[in-house]
Amino acid sequence: MRMSDLITQEILKMLDQSADNMAEIQRNEFASLMGCVPSQINYVLDSRFTPEHGYLIESRRGGGGYIRITRIKLNRSSALMHIINSIGETIDSLTARILIENCLQSDIINQETARLLSAATSNSVMRGIPVELREYLRASILKQMLLTLI
């Protein structure tokens, strides 16, 4: 198993054990505990614990500094609106797939809806669209389809 997967599992375990869906770590201590460099902790937080994935990150620097990871629990409509607003003007294929998978894992959408969203935003659908417009179109399609679920 990759180090980033191990770090992710440990943070998720901390969140699952928390009554308030919050985990607090000190980056250097956590990196030492995990047997990695602190930048790997940053990478995992930046790539896997984002608002699009349903998490908020708060940090305080300095000697007593910490990183606080909070799992966002929203009702379905609020979660969908949060996701739609987080998409922005463009979205690449990989980010769209991750977003759809996270929605599925969070039970915001079902398997059939995930397949439809994935098909509508796939690279094969965008094949006839000029490269410079694909990510704009993908974002627009994804937002409109998610809006129909509210």
Side-chain angles (χ1 to χ4, degrees), residues 36-60:
C36 66
V37 295
S39 62
Q40 285 181 293
I41 305 299
N42 289 347
Y43 167 77
V44 169
L45 293 174
D46 291 343
S47 63
R48 299 184 183 191
F49 292 91
T50 64
E52 294 81 16
H53 291 104
Y55 300 93
L56 293 177
I57 301 291
E58 175 188 348
S59 63
R60 187 177 77 189

Side-chain angles (χ1 to χ4, degrees), residues 95-110:
T95 304
R97 283 196 317 264
I98 290 169
L99 189 143
I100 293 164
E101 182 62 31
N102 288 333
C103 286
L104 181 61
Q105 289 176 357
S106 301
D107 292 324
I108 295 169
I109 61 174
N110 61 30

